[in-house]
Amino acid sequence: MRTLLRLWPYVRPVRARLFSAAFVAILASCVGLVIPLVLKWLVDGPVADHDPGGVWLGALFLLLLGFTEALLFGLRRWLVARPLSHVEASMRAALYRHLQRLPVAFHDRWASGQLLSRGTTDLMLLRQFLAFPLTFLLVNGVTILVGVVIMLLQDWTLGLVVLGPAVPLMVTCVIFEKRYAKVARLAQDQVGDLTTVVEESVLGIRVIKGFGRHRSQARAFRELSGTLRGTELRKARLLATIWGVIVTLPEVAIGAALVVGVAQVADGALSAGTLVAFLSTALALRWPVESIGFLLAMSQEAATATERYFEVMDEGVEDPGAAAAAPNAEDEGLRFDNVRFRYPDAPPGSAPVLDGVTLHIRPGESMALVGATGSGKTTLTALIPRLYELTSGRITLDGVDIAALSREALRTKVAVAFEEPTLFSAGVGDNVLMGTDGTAGERELERALSVAQADFVHALPQGTQTRVGEQGLSLSGGQRQRLALARAVVGQPEFLVLDDPLSALDVHTEAAVEAALRQVLADTTALIVAHRPSTVLLADRVALLSGGRITAVGTHQELLRSNAEYAHLMSGEQSGEQSGEQSGQEEGAR
Ligand SMILES: Nc1ncnc2c1ncn2[C@@H]1O[C@H](COP(=O)(O)OP(=O)(O)O)[C@@H](O)[C@H]1O
Ligand SMILES: [Mg+2]
């Protein structure tokens, strides 16, 4: 109950419709309960008196009542359908908005399939709950109450006989509710896991096929769906049990009432009409009572869905950040000041990835960042646009602490090209223009494409309008990387952060991109993660990241001479990047 109450803010806007629908449904049910009373009048009056006119009149009246009941139920459905799809849509929109504002650390922790299933299946369950069980639990409750009062008024001894099973029924319902809650939660979580597997295997279809893993992947899927099937069967068994109890007990009670009632009529203690009315009232209450089983089940699923929905909604979003503080005029450029960072989901007690990074990149300067794989280069770049929060220390842009900038302002100042160039299923041009605030046009797009040497775009069937498939998989790795680079430079940012932006390019394209990038780098402050000497040579100075801190800063030549670790990293012995390394050394020699 308490969980479901949290839905109120979303339901509030449509409360008038929902309440009138419930009222109409109660009215319809009560109209249904009048039918037995007309029957009683028919049996004791016109039928007993052999009055055909009266019988016709009674029949006509019954017909009219039936029509009214049907019309009212139709009206109820019409009342709720539109507003409830609106509730579902607004909850879904709120979830999506929230997901976009949740920090990257949240998304590191949560499987995408879990989020997907919450946004789809769970919300559908909620809409169904609001449309049906919510109203009918109320309506059936009122109907049962009114019906019981009518039965007791007809004949209170018969009434008590029929009411006999009420207490065992309620106890069963409570037990059922508890057990069903657990299984329902399990099933919904398992749907989320299953969604994750499907999503991963669709996105990773190339790897799966390439390694011939489709059998083992199918097996993993089969196992998970088998588990889910088991859970669903447990749900079905629980439902079958409660259904059995809920149907049998009242049926037995009605049978007993029939026996007692017939005996009373035979003794002349009860009129035949009253018995007919009594039994038809009891039969009219059968559906409201029987439906309680699955109404409770549906409500339980809705409560679970609400719980799962709010688990995501209750996660704290990134605070927007304060308005910019006053800059310290002497302190320009990009400065890391004793920055420490450990991932929020890292095992407790493990060493931080960055442990006291101090580095100053002067205004307009380009700094290359070099370090072994896993030394924390990507992590360091992610801290600048505040994708993660520093554990301690500070980063300043032109003297302003990034923690004091609003995220929006910060992210307009800083542009990033990530290691994995992610593209969206949109046009090539739109993918690049994501890097601007929306004011950039054709000219900026062309300039960015030419800096990134992404002229291949013009050879695509519809030029910059060509849509790239999901995640841009219809393009080559190098092409994607160049588009990501174009996206980073299109907005002419003050600060540019590039995480190994040229790794997938061939030597010639790399050289061409470097030549064009030089002009861009001339008037931006940049941090460029680099593995090859050729990329390092783009920068004015190089910083070496090792053991969580910056251990050396200087020009490429200085570090080659003075730092053994740097010389080793650049020597090419450790990797197969022969071609890039050679071209770099040529350039170095020049
Ligand atoms: N999201 C994350 N959660 C926890 N640990 C992470 C996460 N991303 C990276 N790491 C860890 O941080 C370390 C540095 O990673 P990374 O910055 O990607 O290195 P580099 O880019 O220098 O190769 C690695 O040991 C990696 O396992
Ligand atoms: Mg990296």
Side-chain angles (χ1 to χ4, degrees):
M1 254 314 254
R2 190 163 321 131
T3 318
L4 287 171
L5 277 180
R6 297 199 61 187
L7 293 177
W8 179 242
Y10 297 96
V11 176
R12 231 180 101 87
V14 299
R15 63 190 187 282
R17 282 277 190 128
L18 220 53
F19 281 131
S20 19
F23 179 73
V24 167
I26 290 177
L27 212 64
S29 279
C30 292
V31 168
L33 285 180
V34 176
I35 293 178
L37 299 180
V38 177
L39 277 177
K40 172 183 175 164
W41 171 81
L42 253 178
V43 172
D44 283 349
V47 171
D49 304 344
H50 302 287
D51 166 18
V55 171
W56 277 112
L57 189 70
L60 193 70
F61 198 52
L62 283 178
L63 196 66
L64 214 66
L65 283 175
F67 260 129
T68 317
E69 192 185 352
L71 269 180
L72 285 174
F73 273 124
L75 177 65
R76 180 204 78 90
R77 190 155 270 270
W78 177 81
L79 275 172
V80 294
R82 269 172 66 100
L84 286 185
S85 51
H86 176 75
V87 169
E88 186 188 5
S90 69
M91 285 184 79
R92 189 168 284 139
L95 182 68
Y96 185 76
R97 205 166 43 234
H98 194 73
L99 283 179
Q100 304 255 299
R101 293 173 56 215
L102 281 168
V104 177
F106 168 87
H107 290 281
D108 285 350
R109 213 166 64 237
W110 280 69
S112 53
Q114 283 292 352
L115 301 176
L116 208 63
S117 63
R118 280 159 218 244
T120 50
T121 331
D122 284 349
L123 286 182
M124 195 189 67
L125 282 174
L126 279 182
R127 191 205 50 214
Q128 285 173 354
F129 164 73
L130 293 174
F132 195 64
L134 178 65
T135 326
F136 275 89
L137 275 176
L138 177 73
V139 172
N140 291 356
V142 173
T143 312
I144 293 171
L145 212 68
V146 174
V148 165
V149 169
I150 292 179
M151 285 196 293
L152 284 174
L153 287 178
Q154 303 284 344
D155 187 295
W156 65 271
T157 43
L158 285 186
L160 287 183
V161 169
V162 171
L163 275 185
V167 174
L169 265 186
M170 279 187 223
V171 173
T172 320
C173 280
V174 169
I175 296 174
F176 165 78
E177 201 56 0
K178 276 222 184 76
R179 295 215 179 145
Y180 199 78
K182 259 199 225 112
V183 190
R185 171 78 212 205
L186 198 63
Q188 272 151 282
D189 284 345
Q190 283 170 355
V191 169
D193 293 341
L194 203 62
T195 316
T196 308
V197 171
V198 173
E199 212 206 335
E200 272 183 355
S201 50
V202 170
L203 288 180
I205 192 72
R206 288 159 192 242
V207 177
I208 292 173
K209 281 188 185 294
F211 285 87
R213 302 307 294 183
H214 52 276
R215 279 222 182 76
S216 62
Q217 199 67 19
R219 198 175 327 116
F221 180 83
R222 215 170 26 243
E223 269 162 27
L224 262 183
S225 70
T227 319
L228 177 60
R229 176 173 168 273
T231 315
E232 288 294 340
L233 279 180
R234 265 169 70 198
K235 265 166 76 180
R237 266 197 294 278
L238 275 175
L239 256 179
T241 316
I242 182 115
W243 191 274
V245 173
I246 275 182
V247 171
T248 314
L249 284 184
E251 216 83 347
V252 169
I254 290 177
L258 184 65
V259 173
V260 176
V262 167
Q264 283 187 354
V265 171
D267 290 347
L270 192 71
S271 79
T274 311
L275 183 62
V276 167
F278 183 89
L279 287 176
S280 16
T281 309
L283 290 179
L285 290 189
R286 248 171 50 175
W287 151 250
V289 172
E290 282 171 10
S291 65
I292 281 182
F294 76 80
L295 290 181
L296 282 181
M298 280 176 87
S299 313
Q300 195 53 61
E301 273 161 16
T304 311
T306 314
E307 211 174 272
R308 282 166 46 90
Y309 178 81
F310 281 106
E311 268 169 19
V312 177
M313 294 300 279
D314 289 345
E315 286 280 340
V317 295
E318 302 177 319
D319 68 293
N328 180 351
E330 276 121 65
D331 195 15
E332 288 195 316
L334 171 57
R335 196 183 273 277
F336 293 82
D337 201 359
N338 202 14
V339 168
R340 275 170 56 95
F341 177 76
R342 52 183 316 213
Y343 280 97
D345 56 346
S350 61
V353 179
L354 302 176
D355 195 4
V357 169
T358 300
L359 181 65
H360 181 208
I361 306 170
R362 302 182 195 115
E365 187 184 32
S366 323
M367 176 79 78
L369 184 66
V370 175
T373 307
S375 57
K377 304 179 297 294
T378 299
T379 308
L380 189 67
T381 56
L383 294 179
I384 304 171
R386 272 177 86 188
L387 298 184
Y388 294 95
E389 293 300 320
L390 304 189
T391 310
S392 70
R394 53 184 221 139
I395 300 176
T396 54
L397 299 180
D398 286 340
V400 184
D401 192 335
I402 56 166
L405 276 170
S406 77
R407 269 173 229 270
E408 214 182 322
L410 172 63
R411 290 172 189 172
T412 4
K413 272 180 190 280
V414 182
V416 203
F418 298 100
E419 212 167 4
E420 283 110 33
T422 307
L423 298 181
F424 295 84
S425 44
V428 172
D430 292 335
N431 262 297
V432 171
L433 288 173
M434 277 185 89
T436 71
D437 47 10
T439 53
E442 208 56 28
R443 252 195 41 233
E444 284 84 354
L445 178 61
E446 284 308 321
R447 194 191 62 92
L449 287 177
S450 80
V451 167
Q453 296 291 305
D455 302 308
F456 70 89
V457 165
H458 300 299
L460 293 174
Q462 283 120 36
T464 54
Q465 304 289 324
T466 313
R467 292 179 71 83
V468 297
E470 190 176 64
Q471 298 199 321
L473 285 181
S474 57
L475 299 174
S476 82
Q479 289 173 330
R480 263 179 281 154
Q481 212 169 39
R482 276 177 280 165
L483 288 181
L485 184 61
R487 179 195 288 158
V489 298
V490 70
Q492 294 177 299
E494 290 171 58
F495 297 90
L496 190 59
V497 179
L498 305 176
D499 192 356
D500 207 10
L502 311 175
S503 61
L505 304 187
D506 63 88
V507 192
H508 300 291
T509 316
E510 190 194 351
V513 175
E514 276 163 7
L517 250 186
R518 273 219 166 80
Q519 294 165 18
V520 175
L521 291 177
D523 31 60
T524 38
T525 310
L527 182 66
I528 307 163
V529 174
H531 284 116
R532 311 188 204 180
S534 53
T535 320
V536 170
L537 285 171
L538 272 175
D540 304 312
R541 288 193 299 161
V542 193
L544 178 64
L545 181 62
S546 169
R549 44 179 70 226
I550 301 289
T551 51
V553 182
T555 64
H556 177 59
Q557 296 302 338
E558 281 168 17
L559 291 193
L560 268 186
R561 273 197 306 274
S562 64
N563 191 301
E565 187 185 353
Y566 184 77
H568 176 71
L569 279 174
M570 286 291 134
S571 69
E573 281 163 24
Q574 48 152 13
S575 68
E577 294 174 336
Q578 294 301 330
S579 54
E581 192 254 330
Q582 273 166 11
S583 83
Q585 281 187 343
E586 274 163 31
E587 257 185 90
R590 253 182 255 144

